[in-house]
């Protein structure tokens, strides 16, 4: 699934859950809800915030996962391509790394 579509879903779904929860708790007058209007709003927005957060957390984790397009990259690993000079010396990320050719002994 495309990155934009994943993030769109991760943002829209919790907002929809928030709105639906607020509406379900505010529109009907249920016997167990507070009688004062301000208390009803506070209760419904608190429950809706909790439900939206519970929905948002796993969706944000799911949307933030990036899949590598390079088939050589292993999960959890880092790869870097570099060229070595004739002395088998490579400079990467500001550090020198010595590389031995296949024919040389350690």
């Amino acid at each position: 699934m495309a990155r934009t579509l994943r993030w769109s879903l991760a943002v829209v779904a919790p907002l929809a859950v928030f709105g639906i929860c607020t509406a379900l708790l505010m529109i009907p007058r249920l016997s167990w809800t507070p009688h004062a209007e301000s208390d009803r709003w506070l209760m419904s927005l608190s429950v809706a915030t909790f439900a939206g957060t519970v929905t948002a957390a796993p969706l944000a984790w799911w949307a933030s996962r990036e899949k590598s397009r390079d088939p050589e990259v292993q999960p959890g690993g880092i790869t870097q391509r570099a060229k070595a000079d004739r002395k088998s010396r490579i400079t990467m990320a500001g550090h020198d790394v010595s590389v031995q050719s296949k024919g040389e002994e350690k």
Side-chain angles (χ1 to χ4, degrees), residues 15-76:
L15 290 175
V17 168
F18 179 86
I20 291 169
C21 285
T22 303
L24 288 176
L25 291 170
M26 284 303 296
I27 292 173
R29 289 220 177 246
L30 303 172
S31 62
W32 54 270
T33 58
H35 297 295
E37 191 70 18
S38 61
D39 291 342
R40 287 183 66 225
W41 275 107
L42 180 64
M43 186 265 317
S44 65
L45 291 177
S46 298
V47 170
T49 300
F50 177 76
T53 303
V54 168
T55 305
L59 287 175
W61 170 82
W62 169 71
S64 66
R65 297 184 322 165
E66 292 291 328
K67 294 182 180 176
S68 175
R69 294 183 178 149
D70 187 355
E72 294 180 13
V73 175
Q74 298 295 323

